Amino acid sequence: MNPDLTSFMQAYEQANNSHIWANVASMIASDATYWFTDGSYTGIGEIRQAIEATFEKLHDEVYKISDVKWPVATDTVAVCTYRFDWTATIDSAKQSGNGRGTNILEKRNGSWQILHEHLSK
C-alpha cells in the first residue's frame, strides 16, 4: 500500500482528535461533499459547520479509524473503506459509537485531500 495514503489517514485521525478545525481543514478539498447520518454537507463552509458542531458536542472524544482498505489507489485518486469507533462525554455522560466510512481522496498540488466522506452505522 502507498505509505503516503496510510500516513494521510493516520494524520486525519489525529487531526480529528485534536478538535481544532485548522488541523482538519487543509485535509479537505474546498469542493468536498460529506455524508453523515444527520445530513449531507457540500463545500468547505458547510463541512466546517458540521464538524465544528460535532467538536462542540463531543467532549474528551477519542476517534479511532481501523481496518482501512484501499480498493482503488492510483497516483492521483484513492478510495478507502474503514471502520471507526468513538468515545466521548455528551451532556456529562460517557457514550460511544461506531460505524463504517468511505473516503475518496484526490491528490491536488502534490497533497492528498478528501473529496468525499461517507460515514454510516
Side-chain angles (χ1 to χ4, degrees), residues 28-100:
I28 302 170
S30 62
D31 57 339
T33 301
Y34 273 43
W35 293 351
F36 296 149
T37 304
D38 68 346
S40 299
Y41 306 92
T42 301
I44 200 72
E46 287 184 12
I47 294 167
R48 178 182 183 163
Q49 288 177 344
I51 289 175
E52 286 184 328
T54 299
F55 287 168
E56 282 290 316
K57 182 179 177 183
L58 304 178
H59 301 278
D60 306 318
E61 181 192 25
V62 175
Y63 178 75
K64 192 167 177 72
I65 294 172
S66 62
D67 196 24
V68 179
K69 295 190 176 20
W70 297 94
V72 176
T74 72
D75 291 340
T76 57
V77 176
V79 176
C80 69
T81 61
Y82 54 93
R83 303 284 310 163
F84 67 87
D85 296 276
W86 61 269
T87 58
T89 303
I90 302 173
D91 298 327
S92 301
K94 212 49 158 160
Q95 297 188 33
S96 63
N98 57 53
R100 300 171 294 181

